[in-house]
Amino acid sequence: MKIKLIDKKLKDIKSDLEIVFVVNKNLKHKFVQDLKLFGDLNFKGKDEEVLFLPEKKIIYIGVENLEHENLRVASALVIRHVLKLKIKQVKIGLYFEKKSEEGIKALVEGFLLGAYSFQKYKSKVEKQNLKEIFISSENYKVPRGYENKKIDIKNLKKVLDESVVISENVNFVRDIVNEAPSDLTPLEFSRIAKAEAKKNNLQIKVYGEKELKKLGMNAFLAVNRASTYPPQLIHLSYKPKNAKKKIVLVGKGLTYDTGGLSLKLGEGMLTMKMDMGGAGAVLGTILAVSQLKLNLEVHAILGVTENAIGQDAYKPDDILKAMNGKTIEVRNTDAEGRLVLADCLVYVQKEKPDYILDLATLTGASLVALGEYTSAVMGYDQKLNESIIKASFKSGEFMDVLPFNKYLAKLLKSEIADISNISSSKYGGAITAGIFLGEFIEDKNRNKWIHIDIAGPAYKEKVWGENPHGASGAGVRTIVEWLRTLS
Ligand code: BES
Ligand code: ZN
Ligand code: ZN
């Protein structure tokens, strides 16, 4: 499916179908021709309302307003309708009230993210008939303040291309997160990472069990012990000349989380193939960064293993020594992500980064705190936290801050080791998990670090907005947006 921006009036572009957004409060805008029909057919242009007029080759869709987040969702909804119609080409005008860049980005992302479906395991693959989407440079109304400005087509084309890159990488992450856990093993994950690194000219190093032992990553290794697959620490780097900043991204890559000996119950275990969603997002992000040629040095560290059960499983009551020498009392083997991440975070700090970001499907408690669609952002620097939230607004993802405090920190005290891997309280579990990770960040890096818990939005067994049933690729859009503010 190709999306093209065409510098012609909408009526001068030939296609099989025209998409028209109708803002419900304002049924009089210039793309709308069928006001009388709307009355007859009781179409009010309410949010998510669709009216398809086959003879006229028009599909109308209601949208509450033209803010980018609503445009994105409406584009996703309408494209899902269009895909069912066996149509090859559609056209649409430009919709924006404030910034043309925001409008076209929302349309492109809505179309490409909304059209995604995962079909790898279906014996009959549904063919996509839609080949081309034409976006006309004709805007539905010229925003105030823009009356005398000519639309900068070259700039809009650039935004379009960038939005395609971002969407394709989000879809790539969805593909790998959706794979069955016995197919996407740690070795398969590193094979995919190597292939992508080669395609995109990235450096890559993969450490196996022997190297992790040598590095002293005993927390990471303990989680891996009962798995039949070896652990993989995957380190990709993108190093352009004249990089302005150095950023390291760390991702939790549990290809399956059974809970270990603190075994999950059936329902809680289901969907735990998504527990590599953080590593997937980090991989998708570095690919997008290199394709967008951002002026930043970026490292992606993926801690990949499986949390299995077996004779050799690590146990509740075990004491582990992490790479920085800190000892951890294991009180629950299902709090495994933080053990893997602890060693990965210690490892990346030798890069002397300007910023450290980790992404992880870390806690069920983050869903309790913020609901299932919002990622939880944590860190010691309020301004840095806020910069991530701002980027999430612009990208169309939901993120919000969960605040640390010293009383929650005390709940991680262990009587026999330096720290316990779970809190002694049942409240605030997303935050105490974040505080645990922070204990593996050196003092001098405290204000450079951000933790993002994507456990909620990473995977849903239902369609929501521009996201499909299954993996959403959560995190990629926000982090890419945030990185762009640094470059
Ligand atoms: N991978 C899970 C967290 C998770 C839960 C992700 C639901 C997505 C949806 C993590 O490893 C885990 O099991 N966390 C425990 C921590 C507890 C033992 C302190 C949890 O959230 O219950
Ligand atoms: Zn777990
Ligand atoms: Zn987990």
Side-chain angles (χ1 to χ4, degrees):
M1 196 165 87
K2 280 250 174 310
I3 305 182
K4 291 182 188 148
L5 178 65
I6 298 186
D7 198 7
K8 281 186 187 165
K9 291 231 170 205
L10 202 53
K11 67 171 173 36
D12 298 329
I13 300 174
K14 261 183 63 189
S15 80
D16 306 328
L17 183 72
E18 180 179 340
I19 298 173
V20 179
F21 289 165
V22 181
V23 185
N24 60 20
K25 295 183 283 292
N26 169 18
L27 284 172
K28 278 191 210 120
H29 66 69
K30 74 178 189 196
F31 291 168
V32 172
Q33 306 160 13
D34 295 299
L35 272 182
K36 185 172 171 322
L37 254 180
F38 285 2
D40 297 346
L41 297 172
N42 197 25
F43 176 79
K44 300 208 171 68
K46 275 196 240 134
D47 219 11
E48 302 191 13
E49 206 182 342
V50 178
L51 178 66
F52 175 40
L53 303 174
E55 294 87 5
K56 299 203 165 199
K57 296 188 174 177
I58 292 186
I59 187 162
Y60 288 107
I61 172 142
V63 53
E64 197 183 317
N65 58 43
L66 298 182
E67 294 296 330
H68 70 89
E69 61 272 24
N70 294 318
L71 283 182
R72 194 177 279 103
V73 173
S75 307
L77 287 174
V78 77
I79 212 66
R80 290 187 194 118
H81 274 271
V82 170
L83 286 172
K84 287 187 215 141
L85 299 175
K86 295 200 169 171
I87 271 170
K88 288 211 175 88
Q89 296 171 322
V90 292
K91 63 177 178 182
I92 185 168
L94 256 186
Y95 288 83
F96 56 86
E97 228 147 31
K98 291 177 198 140
K99 275 197 174 159
S100 48
E101 287 95 342
E102 271 187 8
I104 196 155
K105 180 173 154 71
L107 293 188
V108 172
E109 290 180 356
F111 290 142
L112 293 178
L113 298 176
Y116 175 87
S117 70
F118 182 67
Q119 306 214 24
K120 181 172 174 177
Y121 296 101
K122 296 263 190 200
S123 37
K124 273 202 201 114
V125 175
E126 280 170 42
K127 219 177 80 205
Q128 275 197 3
N129 295 292
L130 186 64
K131 295 278 176 294
E132 285 171 308
I133 300 175
F134 303 123
I135 302 178
S136 157
S137 59
E138 184 180 3
N139 188 25
Y140 112 97
K141 77 174 186 196
V142 181
R144 205 171 294 156
Y146 281 71
E147 291 86 351
N148 300 318
K149 281 189 197 146
K150 233 185 116 24
I151 291 177
D152 183 351
I153 290 288
K154 227 175 110 189
N155 179 44
L156 284 191
K157 281 199 168 143
K158 189 171 150 252
V159 176
L160 188 156
D161 291 342
E162 289 171 353
S163 309
V164 170
V165 167
I166 293 167
S167 307
E168 284 178 347
N169 282 296
V170 172
N171 285 341
F172 162 77
V173 177
R174 291 170 170 183
D175 274 345
I176 58 174
V177 177
N178 280 326
E179 278 217 21
S182 297
D183 292 342
L184 193 96
T185 60
L187 281 173
E188 174 62 9
F189 202 159
S190 58
R191 193 196 60 73
I192 292 172
K194 280 178 197 157
E196 291 300 322
K198 201 166 168 199
K199 258 202 265 170
N200 291 278
N201 270 323
L202 302 174
Q203 295 172 20
I204 182 165
K205 268 193 265 170
V206 178
Y207 302 103
E209 190 170 6
K210 236 171 53 201
E211 290 96 340
L212 296 189
K213 271 194 184 137
K214 224 191 242 160
L215 287 163
M217 294 196 166
N218 301 311
F220 188 159
L221 284 164
V223 174
N224 177 254
R225 248 172 40 202
S227 173
T228 46
Y229 313 115
Q232 303 275 279
L233 185 143
I234 305 170
H235 181 160
L236 300 111
S237 38
Y238 166 67
K239 297 179 175 175
K241 280 182 210 131
N242 313 322
K244 276 201 191 151
K245 289 254 154 58
K246 191 189 222 179
I247 297 99
V248 299
L249 309 171
V250 179
K252 171 178 172 182
L254 267 290
T255 58
Y256 205 69
D257 181 11
T258 65
L261 289 177
S262 315
L263 196 61
K264 286 185 185 293
L265 296 175
E267 217 178 292
M269 198 185 298
L270 196 64
T271 75
M272 276 306 137
K273 66 174 184 180
M274 62 129 123
D275 216 16
M276 38 62 71
V282 162
L283 177 57
T285 301
I286 196 170
L287 296 177
V289 165
S290 74
Q291 289 159 18
L292 295 170
K293 299 195 173 60
L294 297 192
N295 227 349
L296 300 167
E297 179 171 331
V298 177
H299 293 256
I301 284 82
L302 285 50
V304 184
T305 177
E306 190 186 54
N307 188 18
I309 51 166
Q311 282 182 344
D312 199 25
Y314 82 125
K315 302 166 187 72
D317 291 339
D318 271 344
I319 310 278
L320 313 172
K321 190 181 250 177
M323 187 175 168
N324 64 350
K326 271 202 181 177
T327 56
I328 307 167
E329 178 187 356
V330 177
R331 294 182 67 84
N332 190 317
T333 61
D334 198 11
E336 84 298 336
R338 61 196 78 182
L339 301 174
V340 172
L341 288 174
D343 274 338
C344 291
L345 286 168
V346 172
Y347 165 84
V348 295
Q349 289 173 84
K350 75 173 174 17
E351 294 289 342
K352 301 197 169 53
D354 295 304
Y355 295 104
I356 307 164
L357 245 90
D358 74 72
L359 264 85
T361 49
L362 202 63
T363 65
S366 71
L367 285 79
V368 177
L370 293 175
E372 56 186 324
Y373 306 101
T374 304
S375 296
V377 175
M378 286 159 256
Y380 286 100
D381 184 326
Q382 273 322 315
K383 278 213 179 106
L384 192 53
N385 291 348
E386 288 305 325
S387 70
I388 299 280
I389 307 305
K390 223 170 132 189
S392 78
F393 275 134
K394 280 190 82 176
S395 75
E397 294 193 286
F398 298 134
M399 297 203 178
D400 223 326
V401 177
L402 292 182
F404 290 155
N405 69 55
K406 65 178 179 187
Y407 301 103
L408 287 172
K410 285 184 189 162
L411 303 173
L412 288 166
K413 247 178 81 103
S414 163
E415 294 298 328
I416 54 169
D418 298 336
I419 193 166
S420 163
N421 83 324
I422 55 166
S423 161
S424 55
S425 157
K426 61 181 177 186
Y427 303 116
I431 304 178
T432 47
I435 294 172
F436 179 93
L437 296 179
E439 290 302 304
F440 295 85
I441 301 289
E442 296 165 36
D443 286 344
K444 66 172 196 289
N445 291 330
R446 258 196 156 208
N447 290 334
K448 301 178 181 174
W449 165 69
I450 287 277
H451 159 60
I452 307 180
D453 192 336
I454 58 169
Y459 195 96
K460 298 262 80 72
E461 289 190 303
K462 62 189 169 201
V463 174
W464 55 293
E466 67 272 31
N467 297 296
H469 180 284
S472 68
V476 176
R477 285 187 272 157
T478 299
I479 305 310
V480 172
E481 185 62 47
W482 180 77
L483 288 170
R484 287 162 73 130
T485 63
L486 303 178
S487 72

